[in-house]
Amino acid sequence: MSVIGATRLQFKKSAFAEEVVKHLVLEPEVHDLFSAATSIETTSHIIAAIVGSETPELLEETSMSDLLIFNSLFTCLRVLFVKQVQGADLSQGEQQIVSLANRFAKKLASNENSMHLQGNIKLVIKLYKQLQTLARAEVRSKRSMC
């Protein structure tokens, strides 16, 4: 990739992250996720970085919507699921992305306009539960080592 192409991609990621922040700020049910050390901006930049490397065509979307957020979080969740299964710990921002994906899946599950997403919604909820189970097992194994 040329320097110009890489710079263009960075600008797209930055603009995408800003739009994600603007959209998430309007979601009152996710504010509790950002009361910890990792800010909404940091989490949004992680989302943009993953989306930019996995599905850069999503960066081209002009208007942010629940559907675009869900598709972006779904992309992130798949990457983070593989990372966790391979034994790497997820950062706090990455854990927030996993929780966001689950919350948006539940939100869209009750929306009639998202019927075409039902397979992805069910997959997100299933992956979320598996990650929670994996995290609990890891905590138990660390406790038993002490």
Side-chain angles (χ1 to χ4, degrees):
M1 179 179 282
S2 71
V3 174
I4 294 171
T7 304
R8 185 178 301 124
L9 180 61
Q10 287 304 106
F11 277 117
K12 287 179 183 178
K13 288 180 193 177
S14 178
F16 186 82
E18 287 179 28
E19 292 301 316
V20 171
V21 169
K22 289 177 188 175
H23 193 79
L24 291 179
V25 166
L26 300 174
E27 297 289 330
E29 62 271 359
V30 301
H31 288 197
D32 63 314
L33 290 175
F34 301 106
S35 61
T38 303
S39 69
I40 193 169
E41 290 83 7
T42 301
T43 303
S44 296
H45 281 283
I46 296 170
I47 292 168
I50 294 171
V51 168
S53 64
E54 296 296 318
T55 53
E57 62 274 6
L58 290 179
L59 298 177
E60 302 295 329
E61 296 291 326
T62 55
S63 66
M64 191 58 61
S65 65
D66 282 348
L67 179 60
L68 180 55
I69 289 281
F70 176 75
N71 287 332
S72 301
L73 292 170
F74 183 55
T75 297
C76 293
L77 181 64
R78 292 181 308 210
V79 171
L80 297 175
F81 183 82
V82 170
K83 180 180 178 180
Q84 180 82 30
V85 168
Q86 290 177 342
D89 289 333
L90 298 182
S91 69
Q92 186 178 26
E94 292 169 337
Q95 291 171 359
Q96 288 173 331
I97 291 169
V98 170
S99 295
L100 280 170
N102 184 56
R103 290 183 185 197
F104 270 89
K106 288 180 178 178
K107 178 180 178 180
L108 291 177
S110 62
N111 188 340
E112 303 85 39
N113 296 333
S114 59
M115 289 310 224
H116 64 286
L117 292 174
Q118 290 305 313
N120 288 351
I121 289 170
K122 288 178 184 177
L123 183 57
V124 166
I125 293 169
K126 181 179 178 180
L127 291 175
Y128 175 79
K129 288 178 182 177
Q130 288 177 348
L131 283 173
Q132 297 298 49
T133 301
L134 190 62
R136 281 192 298 274
E138 188 176 316
V139 167
R140 272 186 250 126
S141 72
K142 285 182 180 178
R143 279 191 204 148
S144 65
M145 293 172 87
C146 296

